[in-house]
mmCIF file of all heavy atoms in Angstrom:
data_model
loop_
_atom_site.group_PDB
_atom_site.id
_atom_site.type_symbol
_atom_site.label_atom_id
_atom_site.label_comp_id
_atom_site.label_asym_id
_atom_site.label_seq_id
_atom_site.Cartn_x
_atom_site.Cartn_y
_atom_site.Cartn_z
ATOM 1 N N SER A 266 -2.724 3.852 -20.629
ATOM 2 C CA SER A 266 -4.035 4.438 -20.370
ATOM 3 C C SER A 266 -4.873 3.514 -19.494
ATOM 4 O O SER A 266 -5.061 2.339 -19.826
ATOM 5 C CB SER A 266 -4.762 4.701 -21.700
ATOM 6 O OG SER A 266 -6.011 5.313 -21.474
ATOM 7 N N LYS A 267 -5.336 4.063 -18.379
ATOM 8 C CA LYS A 267 -6.189 3.300 -17.475
ATOM 9 C C LYS A 267 -7.038 4.264 -16.665
ATOM 10 O O LYS A 267 -6.513 5.094 -15.928
ATOM 11 C CB LYS A 267 -5.347 2.434 -16.538
ATOM 12 C CG LYS A 267 -6.182 1.583 -15.589
ATOM 13 C CD LYS A 267 -5.298 0.753 -14.679
ATOM 14 C CE LYS A 267 -6.148 -0.089 -13.732
ATOM 15 N NZ LYS A 267 -5.309 -0.871 -12.799
ATOM 16 N N GLN A 268 -8.348 4.159 -16.797
ATOM 17 C CA GLN A 268 -9.229 5.031 -16.032
ATOM 18 C C GLN A 268 -9.350 4.526 -14.602
ATOM 19 O O GLN A 268 -9.699 3.365 -14.381
ATOM 20 C CB GLN A 268 -10.625 5.096 -16.659
ATOM 21 C CG GLN A 268 -11.573 6.022 -15.895
ATOM 22 C CD GLN A 268 -12.796 6.389 -16.702
ATOM 23 O OE1 GLN A 268 -12.696 6.876 -17.809
ATOM 24 N NE2 GLN A 268 -13.963 6.141 -16.130
ATOM 25 N N PRO A 269 -9.055 5.371 -13.607
ATOM 26 C CA PRO A 269 -9.187 4.946 -12.214
ATOM 27 C C PRO A 269 -10.608 4.476 -11.906
ATOM 28 O O PRO A 269 -11.588 5.054 -12.395
ATOM 29 C CB PRO A 269 -8.847 6.218 -11.429
ATOM 30 C CG PRO A 269 -7.990 7.016 -12.360
ATOM 31 C CD PRO A 269 -8.534 6.737 -13.724
ATOM 32 N N ASP A 270 -10.715 3.425 -11.108
ATOM 33 C CA ASP A 270 -12.029 2.851 -10.798
ATOM 34 C C ASP A 270 -12.993 3.859 -10.189
ATOM 35 O O ASP A 270 -14.204 3.810 -10.439
ATOM 36 C CB ASP A 270 -11.875 1.655 -9.851
ATOM 37 C CG ASP A 270 -11.236 0.462 -10.552
ATOM 38 O OD1 ASP A 270 -11.235 0.431 -11.785
ATOM 39 O OD2 ASP A 270 -10.746 -0.429 -9.840
ATOM 40 N N TRP A 271 -12.459 4.790 -9.393
ATOM 41 C CA TRP A 271 -13.353 5.716 -8.692
ATOM 42 C C TRP A 271 -14.104 6.638 -9.650
ATOM 43 O O TRP A 271 -15.181 7.147 -9.319
ATOM 44 C CB TRP A 271 -12.579 6.555 -7.662
ATOM 45 C CG TRP A 271 -11.641 7.582 -8.235
ATOM 46 C CD1 TRP A 271 -10.304 7.455 -8.433
ATOM 47 C CD2 TRP A 271 -11.970 8.898 -8.700
ATOM 48 N NE1 TRP A 271 -9.764 8.576 -8.992
ATOM 49 C CE2 TRP A 271 -10.782 9.498 -9.164
ATOM 50 C CE3 TRP A 271 -13.150 9.640 -8.773
ATOM 51 C CZ2 TRP A 271 -10.720 10.784 -9.683
ATOM 52 C CZ3 TRP A 271 -13.103 10.930 -9.296
ATOM 53 C CH2 TRP A 271 -11.895 11.491 -9.737
ATOM 54 N N MET A 272 -13.570 6.856 -10.849
ATOM 55 C CA MET A 272 -14.235 7.739 -11.815
ATOM 56 C C MET A 272 -15.513 7.115 -12.363
ATOM 57 O O MET A 272 -16.379 7.833 -12.875
ATOM 58 C CB MET A 272 -13.291 8.055 -12.982
ATOM 59 C CG MET A 272 -12.166 8.998 -12.636
ATOM 60 S SD MET A 272 -11.210 9.404 -14.122
ATOM 61 C CE MET A 272 -9.987 10.520 -13.435
ATOM 62 N N GLN A 273 -15.600 5.776 -12.275
ATOM 63 C CA GLN A 273 -16.740 5.048 -12.805
ATOM 64 C C GLN A 273 -16.956 5.433 -14.276
ATOM 65 O O GLN A 273 -16.076 5.192 -15.092
ATOM 66 C CB GLN A 273 -17.972 5.298 -11.936
ATOM 67 C CG GLN A 273 -17.767 4.858 -10.484
ATOM 68 C CD GLN A 273 -18.946 5.169 -9.596
ATOM 69 O OE1 GLN A 273 -20.077 4.816 -9.897
ATOM 70 N NE2 GLN A 273 -18.681 5.838 -8.488
ATOM 71 N N ASN A 274 -18.070 6.066 -14.601
ATOM 72 C CA ASN A 274 -18.308 6.435 -15.998
ATOM 73 C C ASN A 274 -18.482 7.944 -16.148
ATOM 74 O O ASN A 274 -19.198 8.412 -17.031
ATOM 75 C CB ASN A 274 -19.552 5.696 -16.526
ATOM 76 C CG ASN A 274 -19.614 5.684 -18.039
ATOM 77 O OD1 ASN A 274 -18.586 5.607 -18.705
ATOM 78 N ND2 ASN A 274 -20.813 5.791 -18.584
ATOM 79 N N TYR A 275 -17.807 8.714 -15.272
ATOM 80 C CA TYR A 275 -17.979 10.170 -15.256
ATOM 81 C C TYR A 275 -16.708 10.873 -15.710
ATOM 82 O O TYR A 275 -15.605 10.358 -15.554
ATOM 83 C CB TYR A 275 -18.365 10.641 -13.849
ATOM 84 C CG TYR A 275 -19.595 9.958 -13.317
ATOM 85 C CD1 TYR A 275 -19.488 8.929 -12.374
ATOM 86 C CD2 TYR A 275 -20.864 10.300 -13.773
ATOM 87 C CE1 TYR A 275 -20.619 8.285 -11.900
ATOM 88 C CE2 TYR A 275 -21.995 9.663 -13.299
ATOM 89 C CZ TYR A 275 -21.869 8.650 -12.358
ATOM 90 O OH TYR A 275 -22.989 8.009 -11.902
ATOM 91 N N GLU A 276 -16.875 12.064 -16.266
ATOM 92 C CA GLU A 276 -15.740 12.885 -16.690
ATOM 93 C C GLU A 276 -15.703 14.164 -15.867
ATOM 94 O O GLU A 276 -16.640 14.955 -15.903
ATOM 95 C CB GLU A 276 -15.850 13.225 -18.177
ATOM 96 C CG GLU A 276 -15.700 12.022 -19.091
ATOM 97 C CD GLU A 276 -15.681 12.416 -20.554
ATOM 98 O OE1 GLU A 276 -15.707 13.637 -20.833
ATOM 99 O OE2 GLU A 276 -15.638 11.516 -21.407
ATOM 100 N N PHE A 277 -14.616 14.347 -15.125
ATOM 101 C CA PHE A 277 -14.451 15.519 -14.285
ATOM 102 C C PHE A 277 -13.334 16.406 -14.832
ATOM 103 O O PHE A 277 -12.413 15.937 -15.491
ATOM 104 C CB PHE A 277 -14.068 15.106 -12.852
ATOM 105 C CG PHE A 277 -15.119 14.311 -12.125
ATOM 106 C CD1 PHE A 277 -15.110 12.925 -12.142
ATOM 107 C CD2 PHE A 277 -16.113 14.961 -11.390
ATOM 108 C CE1 PHE A 277 -16.063 12.193 -11.455
ATOM 109 C CE2 PHE A 277 -17.073 14.235 -10.706
ATOM 110 C CZ PHE A 277 -17.051 12.854 -10.747
ATOM 111 N N GLU A 278 -13.418 17.708 -14.535
ATOM 112 C CA GLU A 278 -12.299 18.611 -14.756
ATOM 113 C C GLU A 278 -11.486 18.631 -13.473
ATOM 114 O O GLU A 278 -12.035 18.626 -12.371
ATOM 115 C CB GLU A 278 -12.792 20.023 -15.094
ATOM 116 C CG GLU A 278 -13.578 20.110 -16.393
ATOM 117 C CD GLU A 278 -12.729 19.731 -17.600
ATOM 118 O OE1 GLU A 278 -11.524 20.048 -17.611
ATOM 119 O OE2 GLU A 278 -13.281 19.094 -18.520
ATOM 120 N N HIS A 279 -10.155 18.662 -13.588
ATOM 121 C CA HIS A 279 -9.293 18.583 -12.414
ATOM 122 C C HIS A 279 -8.446 19.844 -12.265
ATOM 123 O O HIS A 279 -8.038 20.457 -13.254
ATOM 124 C CB HIS A 279 -8.373 17.364 -12.510
ATOM 125 C CG HIS A 279 -9.116 16.073 -12.633
ATOM 126 N ND1 HIS A 279 -9.748 15.474 -11.570
ATOM 127 C CD2 HIS A 279 -9.333 15.265 -13.705
ATOM 128 C CE1 HIS A 279 -10.318 14.345 -11.971
ATOM 129 N NE2 HIS A 279 -10.093 14.202 -13.266
ATOM 130 N N THR A 280 -8.175 20.229 -11.028
ATOM 131 C CA THR A 280 -7.309 21.373 -10.753
ATOM 132 C C THR A 280 -5.840 21.006 -10.899
ATOM 133 O O THR A 280 -4.981 21.860 -11.108
ATOM 134 C CB THR A 280 -7.548 21.910 -9.332
ATOM 135 O OG1 THR A 280 -7.304 20.857 -8.385
ATOM 136 C CG2 THR A 280 -8.982 22.397 -9.167
ATOM 137 N N ASP A 281 -5.541 19.720 -10.800
ATOM 138 C CA ASP A 281 -4.170 19.224 -10.938
ATOM 139 C C ASP A 281 -4.259 17.734 -11.260
ATOM 140 O O ASP A 281 -5.304 17.113 -11.063
ATOM 141 C CB ASP A 281 -3.388 19.446 -9.642
ATOM 142 C CG ASP A 281 -1.894 19.327 -9.848
ATOM 143 O OD1 ASP A 281 -1.458 19.195 -11.015
ATOM 144 O OD2 ASP A 281 -1.139 19.361 -8.851
ATOM 145 N N TYR A 282 -3.156 17.161 -11.752
ATOM 146 C CA TYR A 282 -3.138 15.737 -12.069
ATOM 147 C C TYR A 282 -2.129 15.004 -11.192
ATOM 148 O O TYR A 282 -1.033 15.520 -10.926
ATOM 149 C CB TYR A 282 -2.814 15.519 -13.551
ATOM 150 C CG TYR A 282 -3.984 15.886 -14.444
ATOM 151 C CD1 TYR A 282 -4.065 17.151 -15.020
ATOM 152 C CD2 TYR A 282 -5.008 14.977 -14.684
ATOM 153 C CE1 TYR A 282 -5.147 17.503 -15.819
ATOM 154 C CE2 TYR A 282 -6.095 15.316 -15.482
ATOM 155 C CZ TYR A 282 -6.154 16.580 -16.044
ATOM 156 O OH TYR A 282 -7.225 16.916 -16.825
ATOM 157 N N ASN A 283 -2.531 13.820 -10.741
ATOM 158 C CA ASN A 283 -1.666 12.999 -9.898
ATOM 159 C C ASN A 283 -1.955 11.522 -10.171
ATOM 160 O O ASN A 283 -2.700 11.188 -11.094
ATOM 161 C CB ASN A 283 -1.874 13.347 -8.421
ATOM 162 C CG ASN A 283 -3.338 13.233 -8.001
ATOM 163 O OD1 ASN A 283 -4.060 12.340 -8.439
ATOM 164 N ND2 ASN A 283 -3.791 14.142 -7.150
ATOM 165 N N ILE A 284 -1.393 10.637 -9.364
ATOM 166 C CA ILE A 284 -1.560 9.207 -9.606
ATOM 167 C C ILE A 284 -2.986 8.732 -9.355
ATOM 168 O O ILE A 284 -3.363 7.631 -9.767
ATOM 169 C CB ILE A 284 -0.600 8.372 -8.733
ATOM 170 C CG1 ILE A 284 -0.880 8.604 -7.236
ATOM 171 C CG2 ILE A 284 0.842 8.692 -9.068
ATOM 172 C CD1 ILE A 284 -0.090 7.689 -6.332
ATOM 173 N N TYR A 285 -3.797 9.556 -8.712
ATOM 174 C CA TYR A 285 -5.164 9.150 -8.383
ATOM 175 C C TYR A 285 -6.181 9.529 -9.460
ATOM 176 O O TYR A 285 -7.259 8.944 -9.523
ATOM 177 C CB TYR A 285 -5.588 9.763 -7.041
ATOM 178 C CG TYR A 285 -4.624 9.435 -5.928
ATOM 179 C CD1 TYR A 285 -3.770 10.408 -5.425
ATOM 180 C CD2 TYR A 285 -4.558 8.157 -5.400
ATOM 181 C CE1 TYR A 285 -2.873 10.116 -4.416
ATOM 182 C CE2 TYR A 285 -3.661 7.848 -4.388
ATOM 183 C CZ TYR A 285 -2.821 8.832 -3.900
ATOM 184 O OH TYR A 285 -1.925 8.527 -2.909
ATOM 185 N N ASN A 286 -5.862 10.519 -10.309
ATOM 186 C CA ASN A 286 -6.860 10.970 -11.288
ATOM 187 C C ASN A 286 -6.361 10.968 -12.735
ATOM 188 O O ASN A 286 -7.096 11.336 -13.644
ATOM 189 C CB ASN A 286 -7.373 12.374 -10.933
ATOM 190 C CG ASN A 286 -6.278 13.430 -10.973
ATOM 191 O OD1 ASN A 286 -5.209 13.203 -11.510
ATOM 192 N ND2 ASN A 286 -6.554 14.586 -10.384
ATOM 193 N N SER A 287 -5.119 10.551 -12.956
ATOM 194 C CA SER A 287 -4.582 10.554 -14.317
ATOM 195 C C SER A 287 -5.016 9.298 -15.070
ATOM 196 O O SER A 287 -4.901 8.187 -14.557
ATOM 197 C CB SER A 287 -3.051 10.627 -14.288
ATOM 198 O OG SER A 287 -2.634 11.870 -13.742
ATOM 199 N N ILE A 288 -5.515 9.504 -16.271
ATOM 200 C CA ILE A 288 -5.909 8.381 -17.121
ATOM 201 C C ILE A 288 -4.737 7.937 -17.986
ATOM 202 O O ILE A 288 -4.549 6.749 -18.240
ATOM 203 C CB ILE A 288 -7.110 8.782 -18.003
ATOM 204 C CG1 ILE A 288 -8.341 9.049 -17.128
ATOM 205 C CG2 ILE A 288 -7.419 7.699 -19.034
ATOM 206 C CD1 ILE A 288 -9.545 9.546 -17.891
ATOM 207 N N THR A 289 -3.912 8.890 -18.416
ATOM 208 C CA THR A 289 -2.775 8.582 -19.289
ATOM 209 C C THR A 289 -1.457 8.914 -18.606
ATOM 210 O O THR A 289 -1.311 9.976 -18.002
ATOM 211 C CB THR A 289 -2.876 9.376 -20.605
ATOM 212 O OG1 THR A 289 -4.104 9.031 -21.266
ATOM 213 C CG2 THR A 289 -1.712 9.057 -21.524
ATOM 214 N N THR A 290 -0.514 7.992 -18.698
ATOM 215 C CA THR A 290 0.833 8.195 -18.167
ATOM 216 C C THR A 290 1.838 7.925 -19.276
ATOM 217 O O THR A 290 1.768 6.886 -19.938
ATOM 218 C CB THR A 290 1.107 7.245 -16.984
ATOM 219 O OG1 THR A 290 0.170 7.509 -15.937
ATOM 220 C CG2 THR A 290 2.521 7.437 -16.447
ATOM 221 N N ARG A 291 2.775 8.839 -19.484
ATOM 222 C CA ARG A 291 3.795 8.672 -20.507
ATOM 223 C C ARG A 291 5.140 8.336 -19.870
ATOM 224 O O ARG A 291 5.497 8.895 -18.830
ATOM 225 C CB ARG A 291 3.923 9.935 -21.357
ATOM 226 C CG ARG A 291 2.823 10.031 -22.406
ATOM 227 C CD ARG A 291 2.857 11.323 -23.190
ATOM 228 N NE ARG A 291 1.952 11.221 -24.335
ATOM 229 C CZ ARG A 291 0.620 11.344 -24.241
ATOM 230 N NH1 ARG A 291 0.062 11.580 -23.066
ATOM 231 N NH2 ARG A 291 -0.137 11.224 -25.324
ATOM 232 N N VAL A 292 5.868 7.446 -20.517
ATOM 233 C CA VAL A 292 7.203 7.066 -20.055
ATOM 234 C C VAL A 292 8.179 7.309 -21.196
ATOM 235 O O VAL A 292 8.030 6.751 -22.285
ATOM 236 C CB VAL A 292 7.245 5.581 -19.642
ATOM 237 C CG1 VAL A 292 8.672 5.176 -19.259
ATOM 238 C CG2 VAL A 292 6.293 5.324 -18.477
ATOM 239 N N LYS A 293 9.176 8.152 -20.953
ATOM 240 C CA LYS A 293 10.188 8.404 -21.974
ATOM 241 C C LYS A 293 11.172 7.248 -21.981
ATOM 242 O O LYS A 293 11.662 6.825 -20.939
ATOM 243 C CB LYS A 293 10.916 9.722 -21.707
ATOM 244 C CG LYS A 293 11.795 10.163 -22.875
ATOM 245 C CD LYS A 293 12.279 11.589 -22.716
ATOM 246 C CE LYS A 293 13.050 12.024 -23.954
ATOM 247 N NZ LYS A 293 13.498 13.447 -23.878
ATOM 248 N N VAL A 294 11.459 6.724 -23.149
ATOM 249 C CA VAL A 294 12.298 5.541 -23.256
ATOM 250 C C VAL A 294 13.666 5.906 -23.815
ATOM 251 O O VAL A 294 13.865 7.000 -24.335
ATOM 252 C CB VAL A 294 11.623 4.474 -24.150
ATOM 253 C CG1 VAL A 294 10.248 4.133 -23.602
ATOM 254 C CG2 VAL A 294 11.512 4.955 -25.593
ATOM 255 N N LYS A 295 14.599 4.973 -23.707
ATOM 256 C CA LYS A 295 15.923 5.177 -24.280
ATOM 257 C C LYS A 295 16.555 3.835 -24.604
ATOM 258 O O LYS A 295 16.104 2.778 -24.144
ATOM 259 C CB LYS A 295 16.809 5.965 -23.316
ATOM 260 C CG LYS A 295 17.105 5.265 -22.006
ATOM 261 C CD LYS A 295 18.013 6.135 -21.149
ATOM 262 C CE LYS A 295 18.371 5.461 -19.837
ATOM 263 N NZ LYS A 295 19.273 6.301 -19.014
ATOM 264 N N GLU A 296 17.597 3.866 -25.404
ATOM 265 C CA GLU A 296 18.274 2.645 -25.826
ATOM 266 C C GLU A 296 18.740 1.832 -24.621
ATOM 267 O O GLU A 296 19.316 2.368 -23.675
ATOM 268 C CB GLU A 296 19.478 2.996 -26.711
ATOM 269 C CG GLU A 296 20.227 1.775 -27.223
ATOM 270 C CD GLU A 296 21.433 2.131 -28.078
ATOM 271 O OE1 GLU A 296 21.554 3.314 -28.458
ATOM 272 O OE2 GLU A 296 22.244 1.222 -28.357
ATOM 273 N N GLY A 297 18.460 0.536 -24.658
ATOM 274 C CA GLY A 297 18.887 -0.343 -23.579
ATOM 275 C C GLY A 297 17.868 -0.511 -22.465
ATOM 276 O O GLY A 297 18.087 -1.299 -21.542
ATOM 277 N N MET A 298 16.750 0.200 -22.546
ATOM 278 C CA MET A 298 15.733 0.103 -21.494
ATOM 279 C C MET A 298 14.857 -1.123 -21.705
ATOM 280 O O MET A 298 14.439 -1.425 -22.810
ATOM 281 C CB MET A 298 14.852 1.359 -21.474
ATOM 282 C CG MET A 298 13.692 1.273 -20.476
ATOM 283 S SD MET A 298 12.595 2.728 -20.519
ATOM 284 C CE MET A 298 13.544 3.881 -19.539
ATOM 285 N N CYS A 299 14.595 -1.815 -20.613
ATOM 286 C CA CYS A 299 13.626 -2.909 -20.589
ATOM 287 C C CYS A 299 12.430 -2.437 -19.784
ATOM 288 O O CYS A 299 12.574 -1.969 -18.660
ATOM 289 C CB CYS A 299 14.247 -4.149 -19.952
ATOM 290 S SG CYS A 299 13.057 -5.445 -19.537
ATOM 291 N N LEU A 300 11.246 -2.567 -20.366
ATOM 292 C CA LEU A 300 10.012 -2.113 -19.731
ATOM 293 C C LEU A 300 9.067 -3.312 -19.613
ATOM 294 O O LEU A 300 8.861 -4.036 -20.585
ATOM 295 C CB LEU A 300 9.376 -1.027 -20.595
ATOM 296 C CG LEU A 300 8.372 -0.065 -19.977
ATOM 297 C CD1 LEU A 300 9.064 0.833 -18.958
ATOM 298 C CD2 LEU A 300 7.761 0.805 -21.075
ATOM 299 N N LEU A 301 8.498 -3.535 -18.422
ATOM 300 C CA LEU A 301 7.556 -4.632 -18.196
ATOM 301 C C LEU A 301 6.277 -4.097 -17.583
ATOM 302 O O LEU A 301 6.314 -3.185 -16.754
ATOM 303 C CB LEU A 301 8.166 -5.676 -17.244
ATOM 304 C CG LEU A 301 9.449 -6.363 -17.690
ATOM 305 C CD1 LEU A 301 10.013 -7.216 -16.557
ATOM 306 C CD2 LEU A 301 9.214 -7.200 -18.936
ATOM 307 N N PHE A 302 5.131 -4.682 -17.983
ATOM 308 C CA PHE A 302 3.838 -4.221 -17.489
ATOM 309 C C PHE A 302 2.793 -5.314 -17.683
ATOM 310 O O PHE A 302 2.993 -6.235 -18.494
ATOM 311 C CB PHE A 302 3.421 -2.929 -18.209
ATOM 312 C CG PHE A 302 3.489 -3.026 -19.715
ATOM 313 C CD1 PHE A 302 2.389 -3.454 -20.457
ATOM 314 C CD2 PHE A 302 4.656 -2.705 -20.397
ATOM 315 C CE1 PHE A 302 2.444 -3.548 -21.836
ATOM 316 C CE2 PHE A 302 4.729 -2.797 -21.790
ATOM 317 C CZ PHE A 302 3.620 -3.212 -22.508
ATOM 318 N N PRO A 303 1.668 -5.248 -16.970
ATOM 319 C CA PRO A 303 0.598 -6.233 -17.173
ATOM 320 C C PRO A 303 0.071 -6.170 -18.606
ATOM 321 O O PRO A 303 -0.133 -5.087 -19.151
ATOM 322 C CB PRO A 303 -0.474 -5.805 -16.160
ATOM 323 C CG PRO A 303 0.264 -5.030 -15.125
ATOM 324 C CD PRO A 303 1.352 -4.320 -15.867
ATOM 325 N N SER A 304 -0.171 -7.321 -19.212
ATOM 326 C CA SER A 304 -0.566 -7.369 -20.616
ATOM 327 C C SER A 304 -1.923 -6.735 -20.896
ATOM 328 O O SER A 304 -2.210 -6.353 -22.032
ATOM 329 C CB SER A 304 -0.571 -8.820 -21.107
ATOM 330 O OG SER A 304 0.720 -9.375 -21.036
ATOM 331 N N ASN A 305 -2.771 -6.649 -19.866
ATOM 332 C CA ASN A 305 -4.104 -6.059 -20.076
ATOM 333 C C ASN A 305 -4.108 -4.549 -19.898
ATOM 334 O O ASN A 305 -5.168 -3.927 -19.940
ATOM 335 C CB ASN A 305 -5.130 -6.699 -19.144
ATOM 336 C CG ASN A 305 -4.867 -6.390 -17.672
ATOM 337 O OD1 ASN A 305 -3.761 -5.991 -17.305
ATOM 338 N ND2 ASN A 305 -5.873 -6.582 -16.833
ATOM 339 N N LEU A 306 -2.939 -3.944 -19.731
ATOM 340 C CA LEU A 306 -2.840 -2.495 -19.609
ATOM 341 C C LEU A 306 -2.758 -1.869 -20.998
ATOM 342 O O LEU A 306 -1.841 -2.149 -21.774
ATOM 343 C CB LEU A 306 -1.608 -2.109 -18.791
ATOM 344 C CG LEU A 306 -1.366 -0.618 -18.557
ATOM 345 C CD1 LEU A 306 -2.528 0.018 -17.792
ATOM 346 C CD2 LEU A 306 -0.051 -0.405 -17.799
ATOM 347 N N ALA A 307 -3.723 -1.018 -21.343
ATOM 348 C CA ALA A 307 -3.747 -0.379 -22.661
ATOM 349 C C ALA A 307 -2.544 0.551 -22.821
ATOM 350 O O ALA A 307 -2.181 1.287 -21.900
ATOM 351 C CB ALA A 307 -5.042 0.401 -22.841
ATOM 352 N N HIS A 308 -1.933 0.523 -24.002
ATOM 353 C CA HIS A 308 -0.747 1.341 -24.245
ATOM 354 C C HIS A 308 -0.600 1.618 -25.736
ATOM 355 O O HIS A 308 -1.229 0.980 -26.578
ATOM 356 C CB HIS A 308 0.509 0.645 -23.711
ATOM 357 C CG HIS A 308 0.730 -0.710 -24.307
ATOM 358 N ND1 HIS A 308 0.001 -1.819 -23.932
ATOM 359 C CD2 HIS A 308 1.591 -1.145 -25.284
ATOM 360 C CE1 HIS A 308 0.398 -2.876 -24.618
ATOM 361 N NE2 HIS A 308 1.351 -2.495 -25.461
ATOM 362 N N GLY A 309 0.230 2.588 -26.055
ATOM 363 C CA GLY A 309 0.485 2.959 -27.438
ATOM 364 C C GLY A 309 1.725 3.827 -27.507
ATOM 365 O O GLY A 309 2.400 4.050 -26.499
#
Side-chain angles (χ1 to χ4, degrees):
S266 182
K267 181 180 180 182
Q268 181 164 306
D270 290 342
W271 70 263
M272 287 185 179
Q273 300 177 52
N274 198 35
Y275 304 103
E276 293 186 4
F277 296 93
E278 296 297 324
H279 302 284
T280 58
D281 196 7
Y282 287 95
N283 55 38
I284 61 173
Y285 305 107
N286 63 15
S287 295
I288 295 176
T289 301
T290 299
R291 281 175 169 78
V292 176
K293 191 168 185 177
V294 304
K295 64 179 182 179
E296 181 181 348
M298 175 183 280
C299 167
L300 201 67
L301 299 172
F302 51 90
S304 297
N305 66 342
L306 181 61
H308 58 284

